[in-house]
Amino acid sequence: MTEKAGRTVKTGNQASAGELLELVRSGRATTRGALQRATGLSRATVGQRLDRLFRAGWLREGAGGPVDSPLGGRPSITLEFDDEHAVVLAADLDTRHGRAAVLTLTGEILAEHAGPLVIDDGPEAVLGELGRWFAELAAKSGRGADAVCGIGVAVPGPVDSETGRVVQPPIMPGWDGYDIRGRLGRAFAEHAGTGAGTPGVPVLVDNDANLMAYGEQRSGYPDCSAFALVKVSTGIGAGMVVGGTVYRGIDGGAGDIGHIRVGADALCRCGSYGCLAAVASGGAVARRLAEAGVPAASGSDVRALLAAGHPEATALAREAGRQVGDVLATVVTLLNPGVLMIAGDLAGTPFLTGVRELLYQRALPRSTAHLDVVTSRLGERAGLVGAGALVVEHLYAPERAEERLAALGV
C-alpha cells in the first residue's frame, strides 16, 4: 500500500476503480502508465477499471501528457476527473439568515441565493424553505434536480457527523436530535418535483465553523497541516483542519470555544454564566450597543456599524477581540497551527487588532513563531465551499465510489 494526504491506496489486484479515481483526482497518477506503476495492476486490469469510470461519466481524457517511456514514443493521454457530470447543493445557515448555492464538483458556484432564514423558527419551517431555495437554484443553474448528486449543510451548532443530527445546540432551540438529513431530502424532492419514490439525494451536515475552515484551508492553504478558523458572529465557534481532515472530536463537540468560561457574570444563551460568547460575540456586542442607545440586534447589525466606522462599535469590537485573543492563546499553544483565521461578522481590523494584542502577549513565542493570523479569503462563501467539498470528498472516496458504481450498474 501507499499512503499520502491521509488516504491509503491499495496496490496489486486489490486496487479498485474507486482507488484509481482517487489517484487521478489527487493528481498523483494521471495516465494509464502512471496508474499501473502506482498500483502494480496490469495494463488490461487498469483499462477495465478505467472503463467503469468512463461509463459512469466520472473521467474524461485530456490533452497528451509527457512520454511515459524513456525510449520515446507517442505522448500518453492524460486522465481528468470530469467535474461536469453532476452538481452539488450547499447551504450555510446562521441564526437569522441563510445562504444556498449550486456548485460544480470542483467548487465553482453556478447559482446562489441569500435571504432571511431564522433558526428559532424551528427545523420544519427552516428546512422546508431551504428545500424550496434548492429546487429554484437547481433550475436557475440550468442543470436541474436530476444533476444533483449530494447536499451539504452548515449549521451553527455541534453535529454528530455519523447521524447528521445536532447535539444540544446552545443557539438552535428545537433542533436537538432532529433528523435534518431526512427532512431536507424530502423538502428538496417535493419542491423539485422528483417525487417521493425517487431515491433520496444524500445529505451531509456539519458545524458551520468546521465547514468554513475546510473550505478556506482547501482553497487557500492546502499545504497547511494544522489550520484553525474562529467564527465570531452571533456566537463563537472554531473549526480545525489537521492533516487535511476536519477535526471534530468524539461526537462533534470540538471547537466550541464560545462556551469556555472567562470569569464574567454575563448570562449565556446556553444557560451558564461567564461564557466567552456571552461577552465577546457579535450578539454580545450588539446587546451592549443597544444598551447604549445604538440600534443593533445581531452580529450582522454590528458588522454594518463597523463598516460605517461607528466609533462605539469599533471600540467594543476591539475589546471583544482582546477577550477572544486571551482564549486563543491557549488554543494556539495546544494546537500549534500554521494559520489562525478570523471570520464572521466581527472579522475586521478592530477585532483582529484586539486578538493580536492578547494572543501575542499571552502565548509562548514558540507557539506563534510560525503562525499567520489572517482574515477570511472566501468571506460569506466559505461555508458553502466547505459544504460542497465535504459532499464531493464523501461521494468520491474509494469505498463509497465503488458502492455508487455498483448501483449505477457499471
Side-chain angles (χ1 to χ4, degrees), residues 2 16 21 47 49 57 92 108 183 189-190 205 252 287 299 305 330 340 388:
T2 60
S16 65
L21 178 66
R49 294 181 183 173
D92 187 3
E108 178 188 354
R183 173 66 179 120
E190 291 165 6
V205 186
R287 185 179 64 251
L305 290 168
T330 300
L340 173 63

Side-chain angles (χ1 to χ4, degrees), residues 9 54 66 118 161 177 187 212 233 236 238 258 289 307 312 326 336-337 350:
V9 176
F54 281 116
V118 181
S161 60
M212 291 173 69
S233 291
I236 301 176
L289 287 169
E312 192 158 359
D326 196 7
N336 189 210

Side-chain angles (χ1 to χ4, degrees), residues 154-242:
V155 297
V159 176
D160 182 335
S161 60
E162 293 297 318
T163 65
R165 299 173 187 247
V166 291
V167 182
Q168 300 178 0
I171 59 175
M172 298 179 70
W175 290 72
D176 186 21
Y178 186 84
D179 182 14
I180 296 174
R181 291 174 175 173
R183 173 66 179 120
L184 185 54
R186 291 191 300 273
F188 173 60
E190 291 165 6
H191 288 288
T194 57
T198 304
V201 174
V203 178
L204 275 66
V205 186
D206 206 338
N207 171 262
D208 54 357
N210 283 349
L211 292 182
M212 291 173 69
Y214 195 46
E216 295 278 9
Q217 188 270 340
R218 285 174 57 87
S219 64
Y221 302 89
D223 296 326
C224 181
S225 60
F227 178 97
L229 177 144
V230 178
K231 179 187 178 183
V232 187
S233 291
T234 299
I236 301 176
M240 297 165 286
V241 181
V242 179

Side-chain angles (χ1 to χ4, degrees), residues 13 20 31-37 39-51 68 74 76:
N13 291 331
L20 266 59
T31 66
R32 287 170 172 80
L35 289 170
Q36 287 178 243
R37 291 191 292 273
T39 62
L41 294 175
S42 69
R43 179 177 179 179
T45 303
V46 166
Q48 290 168 358
R49 294 181 183 173
L50 288 179
D51 183 59
D68 273 351
R74 291 181 299 176
S76 54

Side-chain angles (χ1 to χ4, degrees), residues 308-384:
H310 191 282
E312 192 158 359
T314 298
L316 288 175
R318 181 165 181 169
E319 180 183 339
R322 288 171 58 85
Q323 292 168 312
V324 173
D326 196 7
V327 170
L328 289 179
T330 300
V331 173
V332 165
T333 301
L334 178 65
L335 183 62
N336 189 210
V339 175
L340 173 63
M341 178 174 285
I342 307 299
D345 291 328
L346 299 192
T349 300
F351 186 87
L352 190 64
T353 299
V355 166
R356 284 176 167 151
E357 284 178 9
L358 263 290
L359 173 61
Y360 286 105
Q361 178 182 324
R362 299 292 171 84
L364 291 172
R366 174 68 181 81
S367 300
T368 58
H370 303 289
L371 175 68
D372 289 331
V373 182
V374 300
T375 54
S376 172
R377 289 187 174 191
L378 298 175
E380 294 180 337
R381 290 178 164 178
L384 296 176

Side-chain angles (χ1 to χ4, degrees), residues 87-90 100-104 108-112 134 137-138 141:
V87 293
V88 171
L89 297 175
V102 181
L103 297 90
T104 68
E108 178 188 354
I109 293 179
L110 301 177
E112 185 177 6
F134 277 155
L137 284 168
S141 72

